[in-house]
Amino acid sequence: MASQGPSFGMSAEVKRKLDGKRNPEQEQKVREFIEFHLGEPFPSDNYQESLKNGILLCRLLKKFHPGFTAKIDKGKMPFNQRCNVENFCEGLKTFGLQEMELFQVNDLFEGKNLAQVTACIVAFARHRHQ
């Protein structure tokens, strides 16, 4: 997968705004929530890289949503990882989250909107108590 170069003009402004929405404290709470419920630490200190392959997310959803039966693909290819993230988002819909609470695969996979990824996981955590 080709890496993206620096953003310029309008793209740079949008990226700055999205990055400004990130909340490190909220990300830490999400990290702790996942670690607690899965009983293991994040694979790395990098929030995005730890979630990017979708494995932790799918395992977390399986823990709380017995109806989530999607196979978790442990392949290292981007296609496999994107499928896991897609399956997680689709599973959240069947768990009861609304479309507006979800994130797009590229929000996580390419780091386009990590604040939305965090907000989605927070919504999931909140929804599991309902």
Side-chain angles (χ1 to χ4, degrees):
M1 171 176 209
S3 63
Q4 293 181 334
S7 298
F8 297 99
M10 183 71 99
S11 295
E13 185 177 332
V14 169
K15 182 169 178 12
R16 273 193 302 278
K17 282 185 180 182
L18 288 174
D19 286 346
K21 288 183 179 183
R22 287 185 71 181
N23 181 336
E25 291 171 5
Q26 193 78 351
E27 289 179 7
Q28 182 60 34
K29 286 180 183 178
V30 164
R31 180 187 185 115
E32 290 168 3
F33 170 77
I34 293 172
E35 289 176 336
F36 176 80
H37 287 290
L38 293 182
E40 64 186 61
F42 259 39
S44 81
D45 288 336
N46 185 309
Y47 182 75
Q48 177 192 1
E49 287 301 316
S50 293
L51 298 175
K52 183 178 174 178
N53 66 14
I55 294 172
L56 290 179
L57 297 174
C58 287
R59 288 183 50 222
L60 184 68
L61 185 56
K62 277 186 184 252
K63 182 168 179 99
F64 295 106
H65 183 25
F68 180 68
T69 58
K71 177 184 174 286
I72 300 173
D73 196 328
K74 296 192 170 130
K76 304 262 187 241
M77 298 298 293
F79 173 79
N80 305 104
Q81 296 172 354
R82 291 176 73 88
C83 279
N84 285 338
V85 175
E86 240 174 68
N87 288 338
F88 172 73
C89 290
E90 288 299 314
L92 289 176
K93 288 181 194 174
T94 65
F95 189 67
L97 267 68
Q98 300 298 310
E99 188 76 34
M100 63 189 272
E101 295 175 294
L102 303 177
F103 62 90
Q104 301 294 311
V105 173
N106 284 340
D107 291 343
L108 173 57
F109 202 80
E110 295 179 8
K112 294 204 180 254
N113 191 352
L114 293 176
Q116 183 61 34
V117 174
T118 301
C120 178
I121 299 169
V122 168
F124 165 68
R126 187 176 54 247
H127 192 79
R128 72 185 175 86
H129 289 298
Q130 295 177 352

